[in-house]
Amino acid sequence: RKEVEQDPGPFNVPEGATVAFNCTYSNSASQSFFWYRQDCRKEPKLLMSVYSSGNEDGRFTAQLNRASQYISLLIRDSKLSDSATYLCVVSGGSQGNLIFGKGTKLSVKP
Amino acid sequence: GAGVSQSPSNKVTEKGKDVELRCDPISGHTALYWYRQSLGQGLEFLIYFQGNSAPDKSGLPSDRFSAERTGGSVSTLTIQRTQQEDSAVYLCASSYTSGRASNIQYFGAGTRLSVL
């Protein structure tokens, strides 16, 4: 099993749609969880941290299920500017203390 | 404040030449990371520096790759005898390793390396 697994997509959705991304991780000892966003030909940038109680930032909601080792990101009322690749990131790996998933590509169409 | 700075932003070199890529982390960040990203692919971990500890070199793909971090700040990634498969974007990130913001990695804009 890969350390962090994501559906690569692409997810093609119309503006205004709600879209959900899922991620599973293999290390049950992981303590920190994040979603990063990477625009085409740009560096990854932190979108939000993910807390056990779940957290919301505007149109974005992140959930963590430790028992199932599962993380989700929900985007409501999608905007054209949300088009990007979303990276699931988990701590506790042997390499550099964060393990990045390969990302899920989102394309929001008018 | 200033973010992670990488130079050069673009580098074109001939097969067999050596290249040096530079990363200047955010001031106060004790951890520094190098990644490689080929076109359309995910991040590939290369090496991790944490304070004065020995670096985690487990991601370096071959002995042609090496990195240094002098004085706990600036880092240089060196690729010797470059090959065409080394062509990629090389990303550097830095982070705190304690406190509320620990583990959050901030990335530089990367160096786009093209080996002809």
Side-chain angles (χ1 to χ4, degrees):
Chain A
R1 183 181 177 184
K2 294 180 183 175
E3 292 188 87
V4 178
E5 279 199 83
Q6 297 183 247
D7 182 340
F11 283 56
N12 298 309
V13 303
E15 270 188 293
T18 295
V19 61
F21 303 137
N22 303 320
C23 167
T24 56
Y25 61 95
S26 61
N27 187 349
S28 59
S30 295
Q31 295 294 319
S32 302
F33 308 90
F34 310 95
W35 284 100
Y36 275 67
R37 169 192 170 133
Q38 186 172 24
D39 291 280
C40 187
R41 300 175 75 86
K42 297 287 188 180
E43 73 273 22
K45 292 184 178 178
L46 178 69
L47 177 66
M48 58 197 303
S49 301
V50 186
Y51 304 116
S52 297
S53 55
N55 48 302
E56 188 174 310
D57 183 2
R59 298 180 293 109
F60 298 83
T61 301
Q63 297 280 352
L64 168 64
N65 184 323
R66 285 187 184 271
S68 300
Q69 294 177 211
Y70 169 97
I71 306 162
S72 66
L73 177 67
L74 183 76
I75 305 176
R76 291 181 298 278
D77 188 23
S78 299
K79 311 291 185 191
L80 297 177
S81 57
D82 293 335
S83 297
T85 296
Y86 290 83
L87 306 174
C88 176
V89 186
V90 174
S91 75
S94 59
Q95 295 179 337
N97 101 317
L98 286 187
I99 299 295
F100 286 77
K102 295 195 179 299
T104 298
K105 186 172 182 178
L106 171 66
S107 182
V108 182
K109 306 291 188 184
Chain B
V4 176
S5 177
Q6 290 189 246
S7 61
S9 55
N10 286 283
K11 176 71 176 179
V12 180
T13 191
E14 292 179 351
K15 179 181 172 181
K17 301 282 189 184
D18 297 352
V19 295
E20 280 192 355
L21 312 180
R22 177 188 167 104
C23 173
D24 200 342
I26 292 173
S27 178
H29 280 190
T30 55
L32 186 147
Y33 315 80
W34 283 99
Y35 296 89
R36 178 169 71 173
Q37 189 170 35
S38 300
L39 190 63
Q41 302 299 309
L43 291 176
E44 178 187 0
F45 167 80
L46 297 177
I47 189 169
Y48 162 47
F49 294 90
Q50 166 49 32
N52 295 320
S53 302
D56 176 357
K57 304 180 182 179
S58 59
L60 295 178
S62 78
D63 59 8
R64 295 187 296 106
F65 288 73
S66 62
E68 290 185 337
R69 188 179 185 194
T70 54
S73 182
V74 172
S75 177
T76 302
L77 177 70
T78 301
I79 309 173
Q80 295 178 311
R81 305 181 302 280
T82 52
Q83 304 295 314
Q84 288 183 330
E85 61 263 27
D86 298 334
S87 297
V89 176
Y90 289 80
L91 289 161
C92 176
S94 69
S95 72
Y96 291 112
T97 49
S98 63
R100 185 180 174 84
S102 64
N103 289 337
I104 297 175
Q105 293 185 18
Y106 296 87
F107 285 82
T111 294
R112 188 172 301 277
L113 176 65
S114 299
V115 182
L116 304 179

